Amino acid sequence: MKVPKRLQPLVDDGLVDEVLYQLMSGKEAQVYVVRCGDQVRCAKVFKEAKKRSFKQAVEYQEGRKVRNTRRARAMSKKTRYGQKEQEDAWLNAEVDALYRLAEAGVRVPEPKGFVDGVLLMELIADADGKAAPRLDDVTLTPEEARDYHGRIIAEIVRMLSAGLIHGDLSEFNVLVDSNGPVIIDLPQAVNAAGNNNAERMLERDVDNMRRYFAKFAPDLLVTDYGKEIWALYESGDLHPESKLTGCFEHDTASADVEELMAVIDAAKEEERDRIERMLDDDED
């Protein structure tokens, strides 16, 4: 096929020898199957911000560290330079997450490089060497559904043990190769330790998987892995090989509303003080 404009620099530099075909086009990116030497790989071409429909929600970005203070200040002020830096940080998030998770033993496509907004990575293939189907396109027996659900829960545990939460996990971003599920699409990966929404996002990921697999194995609906996983994480007892029960004893004690509001007010006051200090520093 004709080489897409965004892939031409990689062809010119010898990183890609041939563009075989377009695999998919989504809200975030277009994915092509390419040949690199004797290897067939994927090239994920991220769309420009103005052409993407996915919102870079603050809840996903919270907790992502920016080492350069000038960049961080520009991003917070939303200057033109800051918007560009924020865009670069967003694109780099998936690359960083893939390398981190692959090293942690999570089943994700192995990254092969990131050049000019194009992510080269392993092609997840089926037994015939063709691109593996999404989980949503696979019909499962009850036994397969329970097996795959267990594997996905184990991958979620490994991810959290590595400090990350997918944040948008569903049947649409899990591929199934001959060895089982492979997790994909991580631009919104959440820093578990630095994001106030982390617990909710983890539980949402787990619940999405529970609901999907329960279509084939309804008994999975009674499981409660999300809260169990988070409780282990909060207590410092979560590790990649943690044994789970799928059960969680909920706290039925009434909440102390006055104490909760006092904590919220204190946090608001602290944030106001922090902003005032930042403004004073800028004036200096």
Side-chain angles (χ1 to χ4, degrees), residues 38-100:
D38 59 356
Q39 298 290 319
V40 177
R41 294 174 178 166
C42 276
K44 185 171 185 177
V45 182
F46 290 95
K47 295 180 180 180
E48 297 176 7
K50 61 184 179 182
K51 296 180 180 179
R52 297 204 310 260
S53 59
F54 188 84
K55 303 299 182 183
Q56 297 181 18
V58 173
E59 64 176 358
Y60 290 108
Q61 298 178 37
E62 180 183 348
R64 292 182 179 177
K65 296 180 180 179
V66 180
R67 295 185 181 89
N68 186 298
T69 55
R70 177 170 173 260
R71 290 177 179 175
R73 193 179 301 115
M75 288 166 67
S76 67
K77 292 182 178 180
K78 299 189 182 300
T79 62
R80 181 176 298 179
Y81 169 75
Q83 290 176 342
K84 179 182 182 302
E85 290 299 318
Q86 189 167 18
E87 176 70 8
D88 290 344
W90 181 259
L91 296 182
N92 282 319
E94 177 162 18
V95 183
D96 294 341
L98 280 177
Y99 276 104
R100 188 169 169 180

Short mmCIF file of all heavy atoms in Angstrom, two decimals, residues 38-100:
data_model
loop_
_atom_site.label_atom_id
_atom_site.label_comp_id
_atom_site.label_asym_id
_atom_site.label_seq_id
_atom_site.Cartn_x
_atom_site.Cartn_y
_atom_site.Cartn_z
N ASP A 38 13.02 -8.75 8.77
CA ASP A 38 12.26 -9.99 8.64
C ASP A 38 11.17 -10.11 9.70
O ASP A 38 10.58 -11.17 9.88
CB ASP A 38 13.21 -11.20 8.72
CG ASP A 38 13.99 -11.23 10.04
OD1 ASP A 38 13.86 -10.28 10.84
OD2 ASP A 38 14.73 -12.22 10.26
N GLN A 39 10.89 -9.00 10.41
CA GLN A 39 9.86 -8.99 11.44
C GLN A 39 8.63 -8.22 10.99
O GLN A 39 8.74 -7.16 10.36
CB GLN A 39 10.41 -8.36 12.73
CG GLN A 39 11.59 -9.09 13.35
CD GLN A 39 11.18 -10.42 13.94
OE1 GLN A 39 10.12 -10.54 14.57
NE2 GLN A 39 12.01 -11.44 13.73
N VAL A 40 7.45 -8.75 11.30
CA VAL A 40 6.20 -8.03 11.04
C VAL A 40 5.75 -7.41 12.37
O VAL A 40 5.61 -8.11 13.37
CB VAL A 40 5.11 -8.97 10.50
CG1 VAL A 40 3.79 -8.22 10.32
CG2 VAL A 40 5.54 -9.57 9.16
N ARG A 41 5.55 -6.10 12.36
CA ARG A 41 5.21 -5.38 13.58
C ARG A 41 4.03 -4.44 13.36
O ARG A 41 3.54 -4.30 12.24
CB ARG A 41 6.42 -4.58 14.06
CG ARG A 41 7.59 -5.45 14.50
CD ARG A 41 8.82 -4.63 14.84
NE ARG A 41 9.90 -5.50 15.31
CZ ARG A 41 11.17 -5.12 15.43
NH1 ARG A 41 11.51 -3.88 15.11
NH2 ARG A 41 12.09 -5.97 15.87
N CYS A 42 3.61 -3.79 14.42
CA CYS A 42 2.57 -2.77 14.35
C CYS A 42 3.21 -1.39 14.44
O CYS A 42 4.19 -1.20 15.16
CB CYS A 42 1.59 -2.92 15.51
SG CYS A 42 0.30 -4.13 15.21
N ALA A 43 2.63 -0.44 13.74
CA ALA A 43 3.02 0.96 13.87
C ALA A 43 1.77 1.74 14.27
O ALA A 43 0.82 1.85 13.49
CB ALA A 43 3.59 1.49 12.56
N LYS A 44 1.77 2.23 15.49
CA LYS A 44 0.62 2.99 15.99
C LYS A 44 0.90 4.47 15.78
O LYS A 44 1.81 5.04 16.40
CB LYS A 44 0.39 2.69 17.47
CG LYS A 44 -0.86 3.34 18.04
CD LYS A 44 -1.14 2.83 19.45
CE LYS A 44 -2.46 3.39 19.98
NZ LYS A 44 -2.78 2.85 21.32
N VAL A 45 0.13 5.09 14.91
CA VAL A 45 0.32 6.50 14.56
C VAL A 45 -0.70 7.32 15.34
O VAL A 45 -1.90 7.28 15.04
CB VAL A 45 0.15 6.72 13.05
CG1 VAL A 45 0.39 8.19 12.70
CG2 VAL A 45 1.08 5.82 12.25
N PHE A 46 -0.23 8.04 16.33
CA PHE A 46 -1.13 8.85 17.15
C PHE A 46 -1.63 10.05 16.36
O PHE A 46 -0.85 10.73 15.69
CB PHE A 46 -0.43 9.32 18.43
CG PHE A 46 -0.16 8.20 19.40
CD1 PHE A 46 1.06 7.55 19.40
CD2 PHE A 46 -1.14 7.80 20.29
CE1 PHE A 46 1.32 6.53 20.29
CE2 PHE A 46 -0.89 6.77 21.18
CZ PHE A 46 0.34 6.13 21.18
N LYS A 47 -2.91 10.31 16.47
CA LYS A 47 -3.49 11.45 15.78
C LYS A 47 -3.12 12.74 16.49
O LYS A 47 -2.85 12.75 17.69
CB LYS A 47 -5.02 11.31 15.72
CG LYS A 47 -5.49 10.13 14.88
CD LYS A 47 -7.01 10.05 14.86
CE LYS A 47 -7.49 8.88 14.01
NZ LYS A 47 -8.97 8.78 13.99
N GLU A 48 -3.12 13.84 15.74
CA GLU A 48 -2.88 15.14 16.34
C GLU A 48 -4.03 15.47 17.29
O GLU A 48 -5.16 15.01 17.10
CB GLU A 48 -2.77 16.21 15.26
CG GLU A 48 -1.60 15.99 14.30
CD GLU A 48 -1.59 17.01 13.18
OE1 GLU A 48 -2.42 17.94 13.23
OE2 GLU A 48 -0.77 16.86 12.27
N ALA A 49 -3.74 16.25 18.31
CA ALA A 49 -4.73 16.53 19.36
C ALA A 49 -6.05 17.03 18.80
O ALA A 49 -7.12 16.62 19.23
CB ALA A 49 -4.15 17.55 20.35
N LYS A 50 -5.99 17.94 17.81
CA LYS A 50 -7.21 18.54 17.28
C LYS A 50 -8.05 17.54 16.48
O LYS A 50 -9.22 17.80 16.18
CB LYS A 50 -6.87 19.74 16.41
CG LYS A 50 -6.00 19.42 15.20
CD LYS A 50 -5.61 20.68 14.45
CE LYS A 50 -4.71 20.37 13.25
NZ LYS A 50 -4.30 21.60 12.54
N LYS A 51 -7.44 16.40 16.11
CA LYS A 51 -8.16 15.40 15.32
C LYS A 51 -8.61 14.21 16.17
O LYS A 51 -9.20 13.28 15.65
CB LYS A 51 -7.26 14.90 14.19
CG LYS A 51 -6.90 15.98 13.17
CD LYS A 51 -6.02 15.42 12.07
CE LYS A 51 -5.65 16.50 11.06
NZ LYS A 51 -4.77 15.98 9.99
N ARG A 52 -8.33 14.27 17.47
CA ARG A 52 -8.70 13.16 18.33
C ARG A 52 -9.98 13.49 19.06
O ARG A 52 -10.25 14.64 19.41
CB ARG A 52 -7.58 12.87 19.35
CG ARG A 52 -6.29 12.43 18.71
CD ARG A 52 -5.46 11.64 19.70
NE ARG A 52 -5.33 12.31 20.97
CZ ARG A 52 -4.26 13.01 21.35
NH1 ARG A 52 -3.25 13.16 20.52
NH2 ARG A 52 -4.20 13.57 22.54
N SER A 53 -10.78 12.45 19.34
CA SER A 53 -12.03 12.66 20.06
C SER A 53 -11.90 12.32 21.54
O SER A 53 -12.72 12.72 22.35
CB SER A 53 -13.15 11.80 19.45
OG SER A 53 -12.79 10.42 19.51
N PHE A 54 -10.84 11.59 21.92
CA PHE A 54 -10.68 11.22 23.32
C PHE A 54 -10.19 12.43 24.11
O PHE A 54 -9.24 13.08 23.74
CB PHE A 54 -9.67 10.08 23.46
CG PHE A 54 -9.59 9.53 24.86
CD1 PHE A 54 -10.49 8.58 25.29
CD2 PHE A 54 -8.60 9.96 25.72
CE1 PHE A 54 -10.42 8.07 26.58
CE2 PHE A 54 -8.52 9.45 27.01
CZ PHE A 54 -9.43 8.51 27.43
N LYS A 55 -10.85 12.75 25.20
CA LYS A 55 -10.49 13.90 26.01
C LYS A 55 -9.38 13.53 26.99
O LYS A 55 -9.47 12.52 27.68
CB LYS A 55 -11.72 14.40 26.79
CG LYS A 55 -12.91 14.75 25.91
CD LYS A 55 -12.58 15.87 24.93
CE LYS A 55 -13.79 16.25 24.09
NZ LYS A 55 -13.48 17.27 23.08
N GLN A 56 -8.35 14.38 27.03
CA GLN A 56 -7.26 14.15 27.96
C GLN A 56 -7.72 14.60 29.35
O GLN A 56 -7.31 15.64 29.86
CB GLN A 56 -6.01 14.90 27.51
CG GLN A 56 -5.49 14.43 26.17
CD GLN A 56 -4.23 15.18 25.76
OE1 GLN A 56 -3.57 15.78 26.58
NE2 GLN A 56 -3.90 15.12 24.50
N ALA A 57 -8.57 13.81 29.96
CA ALA A 57 -9.21 14.19 31.21
C ALA A 57 -8.18 14.41 32.31
O ALA A 57 -7.20 13.69 32.42
CB ALA A 57 -10.22 13.12 31.61
N VAL A 58 -8.46 15.41 33.15
CA VAL A 58 -7.58 15.72 34.27
C VAL A 58 -7.44 14.52 35.18
O VAL A 58 -6.38 14.27 35.75
CB VAL A 58 -8.12 16.94 35.04
CG1 VAL A 58 -7.30 17.17 36.31
CG2 VAL A 58 -8.11 18.18 34.17
N GLU A 59 -8.51 13.74 35.33
CA GLU A 59 -8.47 12.61 36.25
C GLU A 59 -7.43 11.58 35.83
O GLU A 59 -6.88 10.87 36.68
CB GLU A 59 -9.84 11.94 36.36
CG GLU A 59 -10.34 11.32 35.07
CD GLU A 59 -11.67 10.60 35.26
OE1 GLU A 59 -12.17 10.57 36.40
OE2 GLU A 59 -12.19 10.07 34.27
N TYR A 60 -7.13 11.47 34.53
CA TYR A 60 -6.10 10.54 34.09
C TYR A 60 -4.70 11.13 34.29
O TYR A 60 -3.76 10.41 34.61
CB TYR A 60 -6.28 10.21 32.60
CG TYR A 60 -7.49 9.36 32.31
CD1 TYR A 60 -8.60 9.89 31.68
CD2 TYR A 60 -7.52 8.01 32.67
CE1 TYR A 60 -9.72 9.11 31.41
CE2 TYR A 60 -8.62 7.22 32.40
CZ TYR A 60 -9.72 7.78 31.77
OH TYR A 60 -10.81 7.01 31.50
N GLN A 61 -4.55 12.43 34.08
CA GLN A 61 -3.24 13.05 34.10
C GLN A 61 -2.72 13.31 35.50
O GLN A 61 -1.51 13.46 35.71
CB GLN A 61 -3.28 14.36 33.31
CG GLN A 61 -3.63 14.15 31.85
CD GLN A 61 -3.72 15.46 31.10
OE1 GLN A 61 -2.95 16.38 31.33
NE2 GLN A 61 -4.68 15.55 30.19
N GLU A 62 -3.61 13.34 36.47
CA GLU A 62 -3.19 13.62 37.84
C GLU A 62 -2.15 12.58 38.29
O GLU A 62 -2.32 11.39 38.12
CB GLU A 62 -4.40 13.55 38.78
CG GLU A 62 -4.06 13.84 40.23
CD GLU A 62 -5.26 13.70 41.14
OE1 GLU A 62 -6.40 13.61 40.61
OE2 GLU A 62 -5.07 13.66 42.36
N GLY A 63 -1.06 13.09 38.86
CA GLY A 63 -0.03 12.19 39.39
C GLY A 63 1.09 11.89 38.42
O GLY A 63 2.08 11.27 38.79
N ARG A 64 0.94 12.32 37.15
CA ARG A 64 2.03 12.12 36.20
C ARG A 64 3.11 13.18 36.43
O ARG A 64 2.82 14.37 36.41
CB ARG A 64 1.51 12.20 34.75
CG ARG A 64 0.60 11.04 34.39
CD ARG A 64 0.16 11.13 32.95
NE ARG A 64 -0.70 10.00 32.60
CZ ARG A 64 -1.28 9.83 31.42
NH1 ARG A 64 -1.09 10.74 30.48
NH2 ARG A 64 -2.04 8.79 31.18
N LYS A 65 4.31 12.74 36.66
CA LYS A 65 5.39 13.65 37.02
C LYS A 65 6.04 14.26 35.78
O LYS A 65 6.30 13.57 34.80
CB LYS A 65 6.44 12.91 37.86
CG LYS A 65 5.90 12.41 39.19
CD LYS A 65 6.98 11.70 39.98
CE LYS A 65 6.43 11.21 41.32
NZ LYS A 65 7.46 10.48 42.11
N VAL A 66 6.31 15.55 35.87
CA VAL A 66 7.07 16.25 34.84
C VAL A 66 8.35 16.74 35.50
O VAL A 66 8.33 17.59 36.38
CB VAL A 66 6.27 17.44 34.27
CG1 VAL A 66 7.09 18.15 33.19
CG2 VAL A 66 4.94 16.95 33.70
N ARG A 67 9.48 16.19 35.09
CA ARG A 67 10.74 16.49 35.76
C ARG A 67 11.19 17.94 35.56
O ARG A 67 11.73 18.57 36.44
CB ARG A 67 11.84 15.54 35.25
CG ARG A 67 11.58 14.08 35.62
CD ARG A 67 12.75 13.21 35.19
NE ARG A 67 12.52 11.81 35.50
CZ ARG A 67 11.93 10.95 34.70
NH1 ARG A 67 11.50 11.36 33.53
NH2 ARG A 67 11.75 9.70 35.05
N ASN A 68 10.95 18.48 34.36
CA ASN A 68 11.40 19.83 34.04
C ASN A 68 10.40 20.85 34.61
O ASN A 68 9.24 20.89 34.22
CB ASN A 68 11.51 19.99 32.52
CG ASN A 68 12.11 21.32 32.12
OD1 ASN A 68 11.54 22.36 32.41
ND2 ASN A 68 13.26 21.27 31.46
N THR A 69 10.85 21.70 35.56
CA THR A 69 9.94 22.64 36.21
C THR A 69 9.39 23.68 35.25
O THR A 69 8.26 24.13 35.40
CB THR A 69 10.65 23.34 37.38
OG1 THR A 69 11.86 23.96 36.89
CG2 THR A 69 11.00 22.35 38.48
N ARG A 70 10.19 24.09 34.26
CA ARG A 70 9.70 25.05 33.27
C ARG A 70 8.55 24.45 32.48
O ARG A 70 7.54 25.13 32.23
CB ARG A 70 10.84 25.45 32.32
CG ARG A 70 10.40 26.39 31.19
CD ARG A 70 11.59 26.94 30.43
NE ARG A 70 11.18 27.71 29.27
CZ ARG A 70 11.17 27.26 28.03
NH1 ARG A 70 11.59 26.02 27.77
NH2 ARG A 70 10.79 28.01 27.02
N ARG A 71 8.69 23.19 32.10
CA ARG A 71 7.62 22.52 31.37
C ARG A 71 6.37 22.39 32.23
O ARG A 71 5.25 22.63 31.77
CB ARG A 71 8.08 21.14 30.91
CG ARG A 71 9.12 21.15 29.81
CD ARG A 71 9.56 19.75 29.47
NE ARG A 71 10.55 19.73 28.40
CZ ARG A 71 11.17 18.64 27.99
NH1 ARG A 71 10.90 17.47 28.55
NH2 ARG A 71 12.05 18.70 27.01
N ALA A 72 6.57 22.01 33.47
CA ALA A 72 5.44 21.83 34.38
C ALA A 72 4.68 23.14 34.57
O ALA A 72 3.45 23.18 34.57
CB ALA A 72 5.93 21.30 35.72
N ARG A 73 5.42 24.27 34.71
CA ARG A 73 4.79 25.57 34.89
C ARG A 73 4.02 25.97 33.63
O ARG A 73 2.90 26.47 33.71
CB ARG A 73 5.87 26.61 35.22
CG ARG A 73 5.29 27.93 35.74
CD ARG A 73 6.39 28.92 36.10
NE ARG A 73 7.27 28.38 37.10
CZ ARG A 73 8.55 28.10 36.90
NH1 ARG A 73 9.10 28.31 35.72
NH2 ARG A 73 9.29 27.61 37.88
N ALA A 74 4.61 25.72 32.48
CA ALA A 74 3.95 26.08 31.22
C ALA A 74 2.69 25.25 31.01
O ALA A 74 1.67 25.76 30.55
CB ALA A 74 4.92 25.87 30.05
N MET A 75 2.77 23.95 31.38
CA MET A 75 1.61 23.08 31.23
C MET A 75 0.47 23.53 32.13
O MET A 75 -0.70 23.51 31.74
CB MET A 75 2.01 21.63 31.53
CG MET A 75 2.88 21.02 30.43
SD MET A 75 3.71 19.49 30.93
CE MET A 75 2.32 18.38 31.13
N SER A 76 0.80 23.96 33.35
CA SER A 76 -0.24 24.39 34.28
C SER A 76 -0.89 25.69 33.82
O SER A 76 -2.06 25.94 34.08
CB SER A 76 0.36 24.57 35.68
OG SER A 76 1.29 25.65 35.71
N LYS A 77 -0.12 26.56 33.12
CA LYS A 77 -0.66 27.83 32.63
C LYS A 77 -1.33 27.70 31.27
O LYS A 77 -1.95 28.66 30.79
CB LYS A 77 0.47 28.86 32.54
CG LYS A 77 1.02 29.28 33.90
CD LYS A 77 2.11 30.33 33.74
CE LYS A 77 2.62 30.79 35.08
NZ LYS A 77 3.69 31.82 34.95
N LYS A 78 -1.19 26.53 30.63
CA LYS A 78 -1.82 26.25 29.34
C LYS A 78 -1.38 27.24 28.25
O LYS A 78 -2.18 27.69 27.42
CB LYS A 78 -3.34 26.22 29.46
CG LYS A 78 -3.85 25.14 30.40
CD LYS A 78 -5.34 24.99 30.35
CE LYS A 78 -5.82 23.94 31.33
NZ LYS A 78 -5.24 22.63 31.07
N THR A 79 -0.10 27.64 28.28
CA THR A 79 0.44 28.45 27.19
C THR A 79 0.56 27.57 25.96
O THR A 79 0.39 26.34 26.03
CB THR A 79 1.83 28.99 27.57
OG1 THR A 79 2.72 27.88 27.77
CG2 THR A 79 1.76 29.81 28.85
N ARG A 80 0.88 28.18 24.81
CA ARG A 80 1.03 27.38 23.58
C ARG A 80 2.14 26.35 23.76
O ARG A 80 1.99 25.19 23.38
CB ARG A 80 1.35 28.30 22.40
CG ARG A 80 1.50 27.54 21.08
CD ARG A 80 1.71 28.49 19.93
NE ARG A 80 0.55 29.38 19.76
CZ ARG A 80 0.50 30.32 18.83
NH1 ARG A 80 1.51 30.52 18.02
NH2 ARG A 80 -0.59 31.07 18.72
N TYR A 81 3.25 26.81 24.37
CA TYR A 81 4.35 25.88 24.65
C TYR A 81 3.89 24.80 25.63
O TYR A 81 4.20 23.62 25.46
CB TYR A 81 5.54 26.65 25.24
CG TYR A 81 6.63 25.78 25.80
CD1 TYR A 81 7.51 25.10 24.97
CD2 TYR A 81 6.78 25.64 27.18
CE1 TYR A 81 8.51 24.29 25.49
CE2 TYR A 81 7.77 24.84 27.71
CZ TYR A 81 8.64 24.17 26.86
OH TYR A 81 9.62 23.37 27.38
N GLY A 82 3.11 25.23 26.63
CA GLY A 82 2.62 24.28 27.63
C GLY A 82 1.69 23.24 27.03
O GLY A 82 1.74 22.06 27.39
N GLN A 83 0.85 23.65 26.10
CA GLN A 83 -0.07 22.71 25.45
C GLN A 83 0.70 21.68 24.62
O GLN A 83 0.34 20.51 24.59
CB GLN A 83 -1.06 23.48 24.57
CG GLN A 83 -2.08 24.28 25.38
CD GLN A 83 -2.99 25.11 24.51
OE1 GLN A 83 -2.69 25.38 23.34
NE2 GLN A 83 -4.11 25.55 25.06
N LYS A 84 1.78 22.15 23.96
CA LYS A 84 2.60 21.22 23.19
C LYS A 84 3.29 20.22 24.12
O LYS A 84 3.34 19.02 23.84
CB LYS A 84 3.65 21.98 22.39
CG LYS A 84 4.57 21.06 21.56
CD LYS A 84 5.61 21.85 20.82
CE LYS A 84 6.48 20.91 19.96
NZ LYS A 84 7.13 19.85 20.78
N GLU A 85 3.81 20.73 25.25
CA GLU A 85 4.47 19.84 26.20
C GLU A 85 3.48 18.85 26.80
O GLU A 85 3.81 17.69 27.02
CB GLU A 85 5.12 20.67 27.31
CG GLU A 85 6.33 21.47 26.86
CD GLU A 85 7.44 20.57 26.33
OE1 GLU A 85 7.69 19.52 26.94
OE2 GLU A 85 8.03 20.92 25.29
N GLN A 86 2.26 19.30 27.05
CA GLN A 86 1.24 18.42 27.60
C GLN A 86 0.88 17.33 26.59
O GLN A 86 0.68 16.17 26.95
CB GLN A 86 0.00 19.22 27.97
CG GLN A 86 -1.03 18.41 28.75
CD GLN A 86 -2.08 19.29 29.38
OE1 GLN A 86 -2.27 20.44 29.00
NE2 GLN A 86 -2.79 18.77 30.35
N GLU A 87 0.82 17.72 25.33
CA GLU A 87 0.54 16.75 24.27
C GLU A 87 1.65 15.70 24.18
O GLU A 87 1.39 14.50 24.10
CB GLU A 87 0.42 17.49 22.93
CG GLU A 87 0.22 16.59 21.72
CD GLU A 87 -1.14 15.94 21.68
OE1 GLU A 87 -2.00 16.28 22.51
OE2 GLU A 87 -1.34 15.06 20.83
N ASP A 88 2.91 16.16 24.24
CA ASP A 88 4.04 15.23 24.20
C ASP A 88 4.01 14.28 25.39
O ASP A 88 4.28 13.08 25.27
CB ASP A 88 5.37 15.99 24.17
CG ASP A 88 5.60 16.71 22.85
OD1 ASP A 88 4.90 16.38 21.87
OD2 ASP A 88 6.46 17.61 22.81
N ALA A 89 3.68 14.83 26.56
CA ALA A 89 3.62 14.01 27.77
C ALA A 89 2.53 12.96 27.65
O ALA A 89 2.70 11.80 28.08
CB ALA A 89 3.38 14.89 28.99
N TRP A 90 1.40 13.35 27.06
CA TRP A 90 0.29 12.41 26.88
C TRP A 90 0.69 11.26 25.95
O TRP A 90 0.42 10.10 26.23
CB TRP A 90 -0.91 13.16 26.32
CG TRP A 90 -2.12 12.30 26.12
CD1 TRP A 90 -2.56 11.76 24.95
CD2 TRP A 90 -3.04 11.86 27.12
NE1 TRP A 90 -3.70 11.03 25.15
CE2 TRP A 90 -4.02 11.07 26.47
CE3 TRP A 90 -3.13 12.07 28.50
CZ2 TRP A 90 -5.08 10.49 27.17
CZ3 TRP A 90 -4.19 11.48 29.18
CH2 TRP A 90 -5.14 10.71 28.53
N LEU A 91 1.35 11.59 24.85
CA LEU A 91 1.77 10.57 23.90
C LEU A 91 2.83 9.64 24.51
O LEU A 91 2.83 8.44 24.25
CB LEU A 91 2.32 11.22 22.63
CG LEU A 91 1.32 12.04 21.81
CD1 LEU A 91 2.00 12.59 20.56
CD2 LEU A 91 0.10 11.22 21.43
N ASN A 92 3.74 10.22 25.30
CA ASN A 92 4.79 9.42 25.90
C ASN A 92 4.26 8.48 26.98
O ASN A 92 4.93 7.51 27.34
CB ASN A 92 5.87 10.32 26.50
CG ASN A 92 6.79 10.88 25.43
OD1 ASN A 92 7.16 10.18 24.50
ND2 ASN A 92 7.14 12.15 25.55
N ALA A 93 3.08 8.78 27.52
CA ALA A 93 2.54 7.98 28.62
C ALA A 93 2.36 6.52 28.23
O ALA A 93 2.70 5.62 29.00
CB ALA A 93 1.20 8.57 29.08
N GLU A 94 1.82 6.27 27.03
CA GLU A 94 1.62 4.88 26.62
C GLU A 94 2.95 4.17 26.41
O GLU A 94 3.11 3.02 26.79
CB GLU A 94 0.79 4.80 25.33
CG GLU A 94 0.63 3.36 24.84
CD GLU A 94 -0.50 3.16 23.85
OE1 GLU A 94 -0.96 4.16 23.28
OE2 GLU A 94 -0.92 2.01 23.67
N VAL A 95 3.91 4.87 25.83
CA VAL A 95 5.22 4.27 25.59
C VAL A 95 5.87 3.90 26.92
O VAL A 95 6.36 2.78 27.11
CB VAL A 95 6.13 5.25 24.83
CG1 VAL A 95 7.47 4.59 24.52
CG2 VAL A 95 5.46 5.70 23.53
N ASP A 96 5.86 4.84 27.86
CA ASP A 96 6.44 4.58 29.18
C ASP A 96 5.74 3.42 29.87
O ASP A 96 6.38 2.57 30.49
CB ASP A 96 6.36 5.83 30.05
CG ASP A 96 7.22 6.98 29.53
OD1 ASP A 96 8.13 6.70 28.72
OD2 ASP A 96 6.97 8.13 29.92
N ALA A 97 4.40 3.40 29.78
CA ALA A 97 3.64 2.33 30.43
C ALA A 97 3.96 0.97 29.81
O ALA A 97 4.11 -0.02 30.54
CB ALA A 97 2.14 2.63 30.31
N LEU A 98 4.08 0.92 28.49
CA LEU A 98 4.38 -0.36 27.84
C LEU A 98 5.73 -0.91 28.27
O LEU A 98 5.86 -2.09 28.59
CB LEU A 98 4.35 -0.19 26.32
CG LEU A 98 2.98 -0.20 25.65
CD1 LEU A 98 3.11 0.04 24.16
CD2 LEU A 98 2.26 -1.52 25.90
N TYR A 99 6.74 -0.05 28.28
CA TYR A 99 8.07 -0.51 28.72
C TYR A 99 8.04 -0.98 30.17
O TYR A 99 8.61 -2.01 30.53
CB TYR A 99 9.09 0.62 28.55
CG TYR A 99 9.66 0.72 27.16
CD1 TYR A 99 9.24 1.72 26.28
CD2 TYR A 99 10.61 -0.19 26.70
CE1 TYR A 99 9.76 1.83 25.00
CE2 TYR A 99 11.14 -0.09 25.41
CZ TYR A 99 10.71 0.92 24.57
OH TYR A 99 11.22 1.01 23.29
N ARG A 100 7.37 -0.22 30.99
CA ARG A 100 7.29 -0.53 32.42
C ARG A 100 6.56 -1.84 32.68
O ARG A 100 6.99 -2.68 33.47
CB ARG A 100 6.59 0.63 33.14
CG ARG A 100 6.58 0.57 34.65
CD ARG A 100 6.10 1.92 35.14
NE ARG A 100 5.80 1.94 36.55
CZ ARG A 100 5.37 3.03 37.19
NH1 ARG A 100 5.19 4.16 36.55
NH2 ARG A 100 5.11 2.99 38.49
#
